[in-house]
Amino acid sequence: MDLTGVFVPMITPFDASGAVTYSVLENLAREMLEAGVSGLVALGTTGEPSSLTADEQRGVLEVLARVCRDRGAPLISGVASPGADAVLSLVPPFVRPGPEGVVAHFTALAETSAVPLVVYHVPARTGQALDAATLRRIGALDRVIGVKYATGALDADVVALLADPPPGFAVLSGDDVFLSPLLALGATGGILASAHLATERFVALHRAWQDGDPATARKLTHELSPLSAALFAEPNPAVVKAVLHARGRIPTAAVRLPLLPASAAALDRAQRLIPTARISTVSDL
């Protein structure tokens, strides 16, 4: 499975009654793929999986698996499930088992998983930091194909990891604002909730680094980084949903508890940072 490019962790849209609206999810997913993203992520944090029932989770997975299958695009799932091409697997949270425990955990998962694993490294949520050497050990395991790197910083460990990654091990930016510097250092792409908006530009940013066009990449970075920061100014995906609703792309901006809807100020700021002109190629910039 190729982990190159922009992957969008899909929101879960709700209608006025609070129910999941699967037709809107399908349309949104098709829009993402038509805009050039490489693949989708189902039931990641952005999809509010912990607030969905088991039936709702199955429904979301069925929709996104069908859309990806129709387009020949990969689907990564936040939960093990039929139809997914890989599973996004969180570093064990809360218990903080230490590096050796984390390596043992992923060794056991890799031995039993039916599909490849993408490690989700987000210390702010798990309480478990991992250095570059530990991530290399995990990345060398059979069936571990990459990491969503979301430490909240452009730190020395990711620089070291990208300087010498295990063969076939992809590093994906999990912090949207750090997409460009990580691509410059050798990351293969990103898992980006921000790419629900200005999707073509995020795709063009990745392509610019791949094509060795730093001038275009820098221009897009300066345009998109403030947007990403604004979309994450309040707990994700509240602001993303608010903007999508304001632009008529989903029926409501609703999120489920414990999340709260985005504030009017956050919505206004994000709206003002969205590029107005659509692009289809880098030459349109």
Side-chain angles (χ1 to χ4, degrees):
M1 177 179 170
D2 186 8
L3 291 179
T4 300
V6 174
F7 291 76
V8 179
M10 297 300 297
I11 64 153
T12 302
F14 304 122
D15 64 20
S17 73
V20 176
T21 174
Y22 298 104
S23 61
V24 173
L25 176 63
E26 179 170 349
N27 290 338
L28 196 61
R30 293 189 185 281
E31 289 174 10
M32 298 294 102
L33 293 171
E34 288 167 4
V37 306
S38 296
L40 305 177
V41 179
L43 301 177
T45 307
T46 304
E48 303 174 71
S50 63
S51 68
L52 302 181
T53 67
D55 285 343
E56 288 171 333
Q57 288 188 4
R58 281 192 292 271
V60 166
L61 282 162
E62 288 171 2
V63 167
L64 295 181
R66 182 174 66 251
V67 171
C68 285
R69 186 169 58 249
D70 289 348
R71 294 297 300 261
L75 176 66
I76 303 171
S77 174
V79 298
S81 61
D85 300 291
V87 173
L88 185 63
S89 186
L90 192 67
V91 169
F94 191 75
V95 293
R96 302 178 66 186
E100 293 300 324
V102 175
V103 172
H105 170 77
F106 279 107
T107 300
L109 283 183
E111 289 174 349
T112 58
S113 177
V115 296
L117 304 177
V118 178
V119 177
Y120 187 8
H121 182 35
V122 54
R125 295 183 186 272
T126 66
Q128 178 70 70
L130 299 175
D131 61 16
T134 302
L135 287 168
R136 284 195 197 96
R137 290 174 64 194
I138 297 169
L141 296 170
D142 289 342
R143 303 190 74 71
V144 175
I145 60 172
V147 60
K148 178 183 178 181
Y149 197 91
T151 64
L154 185 62
D155 54 45
D157 284 310
V158 75
V159 175
L161 177 63
L162 285 166
D164 185 25
F169 183 68
V171 178
L172 299 169
S173 176
D175 292 309
D176 298 27
V177 295
F178 295 128
L179 171 65
S180 193
L182 288 185
L183 290 173
L185 289 167
T188 61
I191 296 177
L192 312 169
S194 301
H196 280 88
L197 290 309
T199 311
E200 299 94 341
R201 278 174 158 73
F202 281 100
V203 172
L205 172 56
H206 175 266
R207 187 180 304 119
W209 282 118
Q210 294 287 99
D211 292 346
D213 183 0
T216 298
R218 283 193 292 269
K219 178 180 179 181
L220 285 163
T221 299
H222 295 316
E223 185 177 57
L224 294 173
S225 291
L227 172 61
S228 291
L231 291 171
F232 279 83
E234 296 179 359
N236 184 51
V239 183
V240 171
K241 281 188 154 184
V243 176
L244 289 172
H245 174 57
R247 297 171 77 84
R249 296 175 66 190
I250 59 176
T252 74
V255 290
R256 288 183 179 172
L257 290 173
L259 295 173
L260 297 174
S263 67
L267 170 59
D268 180 65
R269 175 168 173 74
Q271 285 269 67
R272 288 187 280 109
L273 289 168
I274 297 172
T276 56
R278 293 178 65 85
I279 63 170
S280 56
T281 66
V282 172
S283 62
D284 294 332
L285 294 169

